[in-house]
């Protein structure tokens, strides 16, 4: 089966970056990459050129020399405007629940022993939505996906990451003085917590846009803030708020309510 038939539609901008990464890996590792799957906004059909990262999951052979990744991703970052972020793992790791550490690449920098993205939501995303650039089609024969584990992880993520993140701002002098959350923070925070709620409430893995649409139904009192996050996501110019302070206050209130709902 041809790759195009397997992976579905991949935006040309993202495909070019992913193919460039794969070519660099092949030249360096001599066939040590047996699978490359596009994840994130590409897998969920919500990719925005120039705004979204190119997320991937690479399956490497046991003999793969991971030290070459530092140079590969450094050079790729020099020639690509979009970040190409992902993780490298061996196939046996996907056949069991996440737990091991391994190489990850983020914004051109490689960490060789990282827990980054090695969690049940990644395994579930690969199974349901991963787009194949190289390797077998994702299925349950080699991916140990567990929806209940993904839901449990999402609840814990809200407790251990999102709640401390919000409380850290609340306790800082900047917030007391009227801290203004910028566009990137509003989009990332509102749609990020909405994705957790969507998975817990529906069992679906939503894109950021899909999660925003879900949140409009799940949290009607916060519709203005959610629509503002979607406006930012889509690059529309005019804010729905006359005051940045009012928007920041609404943002904090929405996060409070959404985190409470996710952790209940």
């Amino acid at each position: 089966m041809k790759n195009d038939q397997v992976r579905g539609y991949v935006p040309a901008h993202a495909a070019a970056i992913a193919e460039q990464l794969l070519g660099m890996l092949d030249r360096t590792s001599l066939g040590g990459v047996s699978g490359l799957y596009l994840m994130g906004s590409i897998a969920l059909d919500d990719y925005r050129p120039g705004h979204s990262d190119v997320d991937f999951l690479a399956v490497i052979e046991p003999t793969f020399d991971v030290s070459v990744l530092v140079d590969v991703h450094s050079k790729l970052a020099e020639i690509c405007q979009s970040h190409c972020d992902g993780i490298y793992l061996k196939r046996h790791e996907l056949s069991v629940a996440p737990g091991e550490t391994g190489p990850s690449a983020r914004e051109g920098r490689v960490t060789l022993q990282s827990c980054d993205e090695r969690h049940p939501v990644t395994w579930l995303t690969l199974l349901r939505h991963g787009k194949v650039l190289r390797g077998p089609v994702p299925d349950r024969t080699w991916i140990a996906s567990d929806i209940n584990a993904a839901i449990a992880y999402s609840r814990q993520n809200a407790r251990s990451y999102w709640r401390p993140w919000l409380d850290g701002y609340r306790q800082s002098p900047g917030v007391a003085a009227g801290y203004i959350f910028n566009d990137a923070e509003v989009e990332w925070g509102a749609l990020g917590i909405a994705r957790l709620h969507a998975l817990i409430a529906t069992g679906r893995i939503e894109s950021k846009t899909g999660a925003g649409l879900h949140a409009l139904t799940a949290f009607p009192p916060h519709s203005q803030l959610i629509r503002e996050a979607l406006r930012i996501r889509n690059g529309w110019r005019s804010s729905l708020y006359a005051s940045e302070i009012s928007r920041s206050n609404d943002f904090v209130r929405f996060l409070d309510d959404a985190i409470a709902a996710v952790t209940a």
Side-chain angles (χ1 to χ4, degrees):
M1 184 177 290
K2 294 181 179 179
N3 278 345
D4 286 342
Q5 293 174 290
V6 174
R7 75 188 187 197
Y9 173 69
V10 176
H13 178 266
I17 294 173
E19 293 281 7
Q20 195 156 28
L21 169 63
L22 189 54
M24 293 172 71
L25 290 170
D26 282 345
R27 288 191 294 273
T28 305
S29 62
L30 302 177
V33 179
S34 59
L36 189 70
Y37 301 87
L38 300 178
M39 305 282 282
S41 59
I42 300 170
L44 298 169
D45 298 321
D46 195 32
Y47 182 77
R48 302 290 193 275
H51 184 74
S52 301
D53 297 331
V54 176
D55 297 311
F56 69 90
L57 183 152
V59 179
I60 55 178
E61 296 298 314
T63 56
F64 184 90
D65 179 5
V66 297
S67 66
V68 305
L69 297 175
V70 175
D71 189 49
V72 165
H73 280 277
S74 176
K75 289 180 178 177
L76 188 66
E78 292 177 0
I79 58 180
C80 294
Q81 293 183 340
S82 298
H83 296 307
C84 191
D85 298 340
I87 60 174
Y88 293 83
L89 39 69
K90 299 177 180 66
R91 190 170 299 279
H92 78 269
E93 294 179 65
L94 289 163
S95 65
V96 296
E100 298 185 31
T101 62
S104 71
R106 187 170 294 279
E107 298 183 7
R109 295 183 294 275
V110 170
T111 303
L112 294 180
Q113 292 299 326
S114 170
C115 295
D116 191 30
E117 299 302 324
R118 285 170 161 79
H119 55 68
V121 178
T122 297
W123 270 226
L124 188 63
T125 303
L126 174 63
L127 176 66
R128 291 184 178 178
H129 304 286
K131 295 191 176 180
V132 183
L133 201 64
R134 173 182 293 170
V137 178
D139 66 45
R140 293 187 180 277
T141 63
W142 57 277
I143 302 172
S145 172
D146 184 338
I147 181 62
N148 292 323
I151 289 173
Y153 172 83
S154 297
R155 290 193 191 280
Q156 182 56 34
N157 185 248
R159 295 188 185 102
S160 63
Y161 180 80
W162 286 103
R163 173 54 68 192
W165 182 83
L166 181 59
D167 288 347
Y169 275 105
R170 182 178 281 116
Q171 295 163 9
S172 71
V175 170
Y179 180 85
I180 301 299
F181 289 92
N182 61 33
D183 280 3
E185 289 168 326
V186 169
E187 177 198 353
W188 174 73
L191 302 183
I193 193 65
R195 293 187 73 190
L196 298 188
H197 187 274
L199 176 58
I200 291 167
T202 71
R204 297 193 304 268
I205 296 175
E206 294 283 7
S207 67
K208 290 180 180 177
T209 299
L213 296 175
H214 161 83
L216 287 173
T217 300
F219 300 96
H222 299 286
S223 61
Q224 183 177 3
L225 187 280
I226 297 163
R227 287 188 288 112
E228 175 73 355
L230 288 169
R231 174 197 70 80
I232 298 166
R233 175 71 179 165
N234 286 286
W236 300 331
R237 291 176 179 266
S238 299
S239 175
L240 302 179
Y241 285 85
S243 163
E244 290 185 329
I245 294 176
S246 176
R247 185 179 79 167
S248 292
N249 290 338
D250 278 2
F251 176 64
V252 170
R253 282 191 285 267
F254 171 62
L255 284 190
D256 269 330
D257 285 356
I259 291 170
V262 167
T263 56

